Amino acid sequence: MDPVPALEEPLKKVLGPATAKVMAEHLGLHTVGDLLHHYPRRYEERGQLTHLADLPMDEHVTVVAQVADARLHTFASSRAPRGKGQRLEVTITDGSGRLQLVFFGAGVHKPHKELLPGTRAMFAGKVSVFNRRLQLAHPAYELLRGDSEETVETWAGSLIPIYPATAKLESWKIGKALQTVLPGVQEAVDPLPESLRAGRGLVALPEALLKIHRPHTKADIEDARARLKWDEAFVLQVALARRRHADAQLPAVARRPKPDGLLAAFDDRLPFTLTEGQRKVSAEIFTGLATEHPMHRLLQGEVGSGKTMVALRAMLAVVDAGGQAAMLAPTEVLAQQHHRSVTEMMGELAEGGMLGGAEDATKVVLLTGSMGAAARRHALLDLATGEAGIVIGTHALIEDKVQFHDLGLVVVDEQHRFGVEQRDALRGKGKQPPHLLVMTATPIPRTVAMTVFGDLETSVLDQLPAGRSPIASHVVPAADKPHFLARAWERVREEVAKGHQAYVVCPRIGDEADDPKKPGGKKSAEDEAGKRPPLAVLDIAEQLARGPLRGLRVEVLHGRMQPDDKDAVMRRFAAGEADVLVATTVIEVGVNVPNATAMVIMDADRFGVSQLHQLRGRVGRGSAPGLCLLVTEMPEASAARQRLNAVASTLDGFELSRIDLEQRREGDVLGQAQSGTRSSLRMLAVIDDEEIIAEAREEATRVVADDPELTRLPALRTALDALLDEEREQYLEKG
């Protein structure tokens, strides 16, 4: 985080090339400063044993425990046919649980001598299951004798730091490497303004780094964490505050709708009244569009809350004011769906320049990568001349050939699906920076919105339109209770018998390209662990059509179908010409078939919480109640089942996003897909540290308003440069 040569020293000079290479490749650590900011995950006390009872499967763990017993077995094998093969089984305990360690062949001699009953040690390895029992095969270990000089010196405090480690580099080796670089902490330059640090009673940065790596008491750890969390929150919020400040200086064309123009004509022909929430959010957006610097607004709305309607009214307001609006959708299926629903909602208002078009009408064009050359030429011409006021498309909108007459508003749907460069390229097509409206149906807790989208103003649409039906959700434990699964298919038949339709969602397509059973198919960690591959659309569709859903019209939809075929399937399903659609997550966002009332999600444990919530939002969109069945083979006590129970228990997307965040690693929060770099959050927990983030945002806004270039705070400027390595700087720049 600092310019100090001591902290910028490459690790290969300090630790040697072999260790430095592993740290760079597996942990992303390159300099002394990087290593000092690689904080312990937790601490073990000498007299206290780790909980073995809740070890995660397939993860690399470090545990402190005591040897309960050790047994050497001999056996015959192809390599040792005369019964000379050796296997050492060591059982370790922490009082709450037991874990078996196994060593084979020549690897048994050293542990056989050292791991005697009563010995305490740190063990590191990957947790696997053998004969239904957890085990570590050939774990690395470090004895905790407490008397040898090296051990005493390395673990001087009674608290042993346990670091995020890898199979190639155990926690205690990281600890020893830190012992080598810790003297350098005195050179760390403090990024927090002195007044802020003193006012909040935070320790200095060198002291915080010493206390986090070599604490003597639990109070040391608390002091260090409090300080390091503030660093992360404050530096990030300063970056976002500078972005907001810079945006406020940019020019933009104010876009105000005409009192009796296109928007008014559209509102007059609406067959329903807008919800209170839609009116409120629209008013916020119209205020933003009427200013002379670019609006940057995030519109979050629950699944089915009517975000598309709000976005369409914003686009019409801009067209009214003489500009053009572009809506960027993540998939062709969704772009086509949006185009269809927008032209249907607008009716003759979407028929500008055509016979029968209304007086104020404009043209609404679709632009996707798979369009024919002639249709594409037409669409490009309509955009360049300004004939088309609204364009809806995929990333095909971003290509160089696409020119706008006067781009006034960019609407990005499901923004987490787009890379930063794509959004920036589209925004760069305006004569002046266009206004930006970002929509997401994945509700985001307030703190995450402040952290991830801190440069956007936020509007929340949390009210469902009248007439929407509740969705009942249930977990179907297929392994424990197979008759529940049979009942699920009966429920689908019952819905179809009432004239409704159903979705069946699977995690995989099941063609050659993604089949993990085929040679060269990429195996996931779960498949490696001997589990079956995820269920596939093509297999399940065939089984259902021949078995439990025989006689119903079953169709398939997945991402590798030709665009025209996908569109044809969606049209048939929307028109009620198919009863059951077996699909991948291509139906996750935006697909709107009010007659679809049931959804069965196979291998539901393979999906994330937010994804399940999104998928479920595809049913219950009409007046008939919706039903969502989450099928899983995971055991009752597993974390995956608890996650599914949480989804089944609430329809509140904000509550679910909170659960999702608590269960995922914190690093995912900043959307590495967007920034392309490691998350900067190592200490800050976005959910738990809401107060720190809110206070840091206020402080940062004040500091930047007072000194936008941070000329009076060179140490903060340096910390900012280190946080925002080039890619990340661009990510926030383009946000």
Side-chain angles (χ1 to χ4, degrees), residues 224-409:
R225 281 187 168 152
R227 163 62 215 246
L228 296 167
K229 281 181 176 186
W230 251 95
D231 276 20
E232 287 178 11
F234 183 67
V235 175
L236 185 60
Q237 291 300 337
V238 166
L240 293 164
R242 293 186 72 214
R243 185 67 242 127
R244 290 195 300 275
H245 185 271
D247 281 339
Q249 317 306 312
L250 288 174
V253 179
R255 311 279 180 175
R256 297 181 184 86
K258 290 186 289 206
D260 52 355
L262 182 58
L263 177 63
F266 174 75
D267 284 350
D268 286 347
R269 68 189 301 279
L270 277 181
F272 52 83
T273 53
L274 297 173
T275 65
E276 190 52 46
Q278 285 173 321
R279 286 178 193 285
K280 180 177 133 291
V281 168
S282 288
E284 290 169 358
I285 292 170
F286 291 154
T287 304
L289 291 173
T291 58
E292 292 184 352
H293 58 83
M295 170 185 84
H296 287 123
R297 187 165 284 280
L298 171 69
L299 170 58
Q300 335 181 28
E302 271 290 12
V303 178
S305 57
K307 290 181 302 302
T308 312
M309 172 59 70
V310 169
L312 176 54
R313 293 184 74 241
M315 294 197 287
L316 294 174
V318 169
V319 175
D320 246 358
Q324 290 170 295
M327 181 186 251
L328 190 56
T331 64
E332 294 213 349
V333 167
L334 193 50
Q336 285 162 337
Q337 171 101 19
H338 275 320
H339 182 255
R340 246 194 327 272
S341 58
V342 164
T343 47
E344 279 166 17
M345 284 196 276
M346 287 176 64
E348 70 270 19
L349 295 174
E351 295 170 0
M354 293 185 245
L355 267 175
E359 188 187 340
D360 288 305
T362 186
K363 241 187 204 175
V364 180
V365 300
L366 175 70
L367 192 63
T368 65
S370 64
M371 285 169 75
R376 192 179 171 73
R377 258 199 318 276
H378 257 125
L380 290 174
L381 187 65
D382 285 344
L383 287 180
T385 59
E387 188 82 14
I390 295 176
V391 58
I392 295 167
T394 54
H395 47 80
L397 281 176
I398 293 160
E399 292 165 15
D400 291 344
K401 290 189 194 119
V402 181
Q403 298 296 327
F404 288 87
H405 178 66
D406 179 13
L407 182 61
L409 171 68

Side-chain angles (χ1 to χ4, degrees), residues 400-696:
D400 291 344
K401 290 189 194 119
V402 181
Q403 298 296 327
F404 288 87
H405 178 66
D406 179 13
L407 182 61
L409 171 68
V410 173
V411 178
V412 181
D413 191 19
E414 286 309 315
Q415 88 88 34
H416 60 282
R417 304 293 190 87
F418 287 98
V420 173
E421 287 70 23
Q422 293 169 309
R423 294 207 306 266
D424 192 50
L426 187 52
R427 276 167 66 180
K429 289 184 178 292
K431 293 190 176 77
Q432 281 193 330
H435 299 284
L436 175 69
L437 179 64
V438 165
M439 300 199 295
T440 176
T442 307
I444 302 163
R446 176 173 161 262
T447 42
V448 183
M450 279 195 292
T451 311
V452 186
F453 302 107
D455 57 342
L456 299 174
E457 299 299 324
T458 304
S459 292
V460 177
L461 201 52
D462 50 11
Q463 193 184 3
L464 291 183
R468 278 289 162 88
S469 304
I471 305 169
S473 305
H474 304 284
V475 177
V476 178
D480 313 348
K481 300 180 177 165
H483 60 286
F484 275 36
L485 183 57
R487 176 72 189 118
W489 301 127
E490 283 172 19
R491 284 292 290 112
V492 170
R493 293 193 82 99
E494 287 164 15
E495 288 301 308
V496 172
K498 289 181 196 163
H500 298 307
Q501 292 160 282
Y503 297 102
V504 177
V505 181
C506 302
R508 201 163 57 84
I509 297 171
D511 57 4
E512 295 281 330
D514 82 337
D515 193 340
K517 291 176 288 192
K518 298 277 188 294
K522 194 163 182 268
K523 285 189 170 72
S524 70
E526 289 188 306
D527 299 331
E528 294 289 1
K531 293 184 189 166
R532 61 161 175 74
L535 294 172
V537 165
L538 299 176
D539 303 341
I540 292 291
E542 194 179 329
Q543 287 166 26
L544 292 175
R546 286 209 312 256
L549 303 184
R550 193 168 52 248
L552 301 188
R553 296 168 298 174
V554 177
E555 295 231 22
V556 299
L557 180 71
H558 60 75
R560 265 202 289 276
M561 289 165 63
Q562 287 301 314
D564 288 352
D565 296 343
K566 277 192 284 201
D567 196 38
V569 169
M570 269 320 298
R571 278 177 188 277
R572 283 199 295 277
F573 190 66
E577 292 163 21
D579 302 315
V580 179
L581 187 61
V582 184
T584 55
T585 53
V586 290
I587 62 156
E588 181 187 341
V589 284
V591 171
N592 185 24
V593 180
N595 191 44
T597 53
M599 175 176 284
V600 181
I601 303 178
M602 307 302 291
D603 277 347
D605 48 275
R606 310 265 180 158
F607 300 99
V609 170
S610 297
Q611 208 172 18
L612 291 169
H613 184 55
Q614 283 293 320
L615 286 165
R616 170 172 63 186
R618 300 304 109 215
V619 295
R621 300 178 77 85
S623 51
L627 172 69
C628 179
L629 302 174
L630 307 166
V631 180
T632 179
E633 290 184 1
M634 296 304 274
E636 181 71 57
S638 64
R641 267 291 273 285
Q642 287 162 10
R643 205 168 66 230
L644 296 180
N645 291 340
V647 174
S649 69
T650 178
L651 291 169
D652 181 341
F654 286 93
E655 177 56 30
L656 286 174
S657 66
R658 216 179 164 85
I659 293 167
D660 193 20
L661 203 57
E662 281 164 358
Q663 292 189 339
R664 283 187 307 169
R665 291 205 170 75
E666 208 64 30
D668 297 345
V669 168
L670 287 186
Q672 277 137 308
Q674 293 174 34
S675 68
T677 60
R678 275 174 84 232
S679 161
S680 60
L681 296 194
R682 299 185 186 128
M683 188 60 74
L684 198 67
V686 182
I687 286 286
D688 302 336
D689 298 322
E690 181 161 349
E691 211 171 297
I692 294 177
I693 292 169
E695 287 175 19

Side-chain angles (χ1 to χ4, degrees), residues 37-48:
H37 289 289
H38 186 70
Y39 307 132
R41 180 172 279 163
R42 56 191 170 82
Y43 300 85
E44 290 298 345
E45 293 183 65
R46 279 195 184 286
Q48 181 194 338

